[in-house]
Amino acid sequence: MAVTSLVRLTPPGRGAISTLVLDGPGAISMVAPLLTINPFKLYGETGVPVFAKLRLENQVESVVLDVVSPAHLRVHCHGGEAITAAVAETLQICCGATVVDPFRWQRCQANSSETEALALLPLCRTERTAKIMLDQVGGAYQRAIDDLRIDELLSWSNVGLHLVEPFRVAVAGLPNVGKSSLLNAMVGYERSIVDDSEGTTRDSVVVETALDGWHVSLVDTAGIRETEDVVEKCGVKQAVAMLNKVDLTIEVIDVTTEQQTDSIMPPSIQVLNKSDLVGNKKSEKFPNALRVSAVTGGGVAELIENVVKMLVPKYPLPGQGVPFTMEQVEALRGRRV
Ligand SMILES: Nc1nc2c(ncn2[C@@H]2O[C@H](COP(=O)(O)OP(=O)(O)O)[C@@H](O)[C@H]2O)c(=O)[nH]1
Ligand SMILES: [Mg+2]
């Protein structure tokens, strides 16, 4: 049986107006008993939004009703959480509608890459990623498809798939090498617990940030070492599993001990931390590793530059078409063979 969806198009929060959509067969008949006007007549006669009164449990709310079709109604009510929630609850209960996530709903409505890009645009967290998505709203992806520039589009998959979803970068290494301190230095504020005793970060802590305008989530992993502590063991197992799922790993090595874990997987960047403790002394074991100090901040800017270079070796120029959903990338791969 087809269901009627209730969609809150306006995100929760304070606002002047809030818009709800009732979408599905029989939407108009469901809402009719709650209204002081006849929506069937409305649809037949006017086709433009009109003021109406909607009966809620304890009050009558003035709304603007837009009967787009008998199966698609838009209810614009006063903004603010309390009134929107009351209207939504009434529509949900009295009309038997199922609450649907607005972004999922908009994507189902999307009948072209432009409308799909428009639905995803609010989920882009940085100006850089939003600008690239805006190019797709303007048809950049569609034009590249029309010109059959399949290989060119595929070469931008990694960028396109990270406009909404962040790149994931793990900070990994032995306990006490300065992973949490380095992550904090990269983000610029204290987010991860730093402690002198080994094994403080037992779970993975995820910090969302922007590096050169790219949305990145930095994962502070538990120090990877042999341990008998049950809770820490669990954290170590989780950390090793996490390293399989990231786009890049920053392998942190304490320059004063030069000890390494063998759990790091490529692609990775090696950094020698605590370089403030050894001055200019060259490392014989890791001559090419980047030297940083989480305490003084030395080398951190260069580390960020290298991380970004590895995640996005080439930036798209304005107007470049990029595929921005996994379905698009899979369809492109299918067309290439
Ligand atoms: N001198 C110096 N100490 C550091 C540096 N980075 C971290 N530490 C210290 O090393 C200890 C462990 O740091 P932490 O970030 O908790 O290490 P984690 O276990 O790898 O996350 C703390 O006492 C930090 O203050 C650094 O660059 N230089
Ligand atoms: Mg830590």
Side-chain angles (χ1 to χ4, degrees):
M1 197 180 80
V3 281
T4 297
S5 308
L6 174 67
V7 193
R8 273 186 69 167
L9 280 188
T10 316
R14 290 177 71 171
I17 290 175
S18 197
T19 300
L20 297 128
V21 167
L22 206 56
D23 183 53
I28 197 169
S29 329
M30 289 172 171
V31 87
L34 301 171
L35 295 167
T36 50
I37 54 168
N38 180 350
F40 288 97
K41 205 167 156 210
L42 200 69
Y43 178 60
E45 281 177 5
T46 69
V48 292
V50 290
F51 279 108
K53 302 273 187 195
L54 182 73
R55 276 187 282 270
L56 306 181
E57 196 184 356
N58 297 317
Q59 73 197 84
V60 174
E61 166 71 356
S62 297
V63 298
V64 171
L65 193 69
D66 188 1
V67 187
V68 181
S69 80
H72 187 112
L73 273 73
R74 285 176 184 238
V75 180
H76 309 280
C77 62
H78 289 111
E81 200 39 45
I83 199 69
T84 312
V87 172
E89 194 182 302
T90 302
L91 293 176
Q92 193 193 342
I93 294 170
C94 300
C95 306
T98 309
V99 178
V100 172
D101 175 77
F103 292 111
R104 184 169 293 180
W105 180 78
Q106 276 182 338
R107 284 189 66 188
C108 291
Q109 302 295 301
N111 52 14
S112 69
S113 64
E114 283 95 337
T115 41
E116 190 160 17
L118 188 61
L120 292 173
L121 188 59
L123 300 182
C124 296
R125 303 280 294 275
T126 70
E127 195 178 330
R128 188 187 290 285
T129 54
K131 271 186 180 153
I132 299 170
M133 190 64 89
L134 199 56
D135 280 335
Q136 316 316 309
V137 176
Y141 172 79
Q142 193 53 49
R143 279 190 294 278
I145 289 278
D146 294 344
D147 297 347
L148 295 175
R149 286 182 269 135
I150 307 299
D151 286 334
E152 178 194 310
L153 281 172
L154 276 169
S155 74
W156 292 107
S157 316
N158 197 38
V159 166
L161 293 176
H162 289 101
L163 297 178
V164 172
E165 288 295 320
F167 287 100
R168 288 164 68 80
V169 176
V171 184
L174 290 167
N176 223 31
V177 294
K179 297 179 296 299
S180 302
S181 309
L182 189 60
L183 184 145
N184 289 334
M186 287 177 77
V187 176
Y189 59 98
E190 298 281 316
R191 273 298 286 275
S192 212
I193 315 152
V194 179
D195 199 327
D196 280 336
S197 63
E198 295 191 350
T200 311
T201 312
R202 286 177 160 167
D203 304 317
S204 300
V205 177
V206 180
V207 179
E208 304 250 328
T209 188
L211 300 181
D212 199 31
W214 301 104
H215 183 188
V216 175
S217 104
L218 292 171
V219 187
D220 185 2
T221 57
I224 298 163
R225 64 163 178 182
E226 292 291 322
T227 174
E228 288 311 311
D229 181 311
V230 179
V231 181
E232 194 186 342
K233 221 174 194 164
C234 198
V236 170
K237 211 169 149 193
Q238 210 187 55
V240 174
M242 175 72 71
L243 296 184
N244 276 313
K245 289 190 252 160
V246 295
D247 298 294
L248 177 69
T249 300
I250 299 172
E251 178 185 6
V252 187
I253 299 160
D254 185 332
V255 73
T256 63
T257 60
E258 295 200 328
Q259 283 178 355
Q260 234 181 330
T261 157
D262 52 13
S263 305
I264 307 295
M265 266 157 286
S268 67
I269 295 180
Q270 250 177 13
V271 297
L272 291 174
N273 188 36
K274 308 194 185 180
S275 63
D276 55 296
L277 298 178
V278 295
N280 285 331
K281 192 171 151 268
K282 274 262 171 225
S283 163
E284 284 179 17
K285 204 167 160 195
F286 306 103
N288 298 321
L290 193 65
R291 294 165 82 95
V292 296
S293 167
V295 165
T296 66
V300 174
E302 203 185 339
L303 168 63
I304 291 175
E305 218 174 277
N306 286 7
V307 165
V308 171
K309 242 185 233 157
M310 285 194 72
L311 294 175
V312 191
K314 198 173 82 171
Y315 284 23
L317 292 173
Q320 175 66 52
V322 307
F324 49 91
T325 68
M326 204 54 221
E327 294 80 47
Q328 289 169 344
V329 171
E330 273 161 12
L332 287 166
R333 284 186 187 139
R335 282 172 76 164
R336 189 164 63 169
V337 288

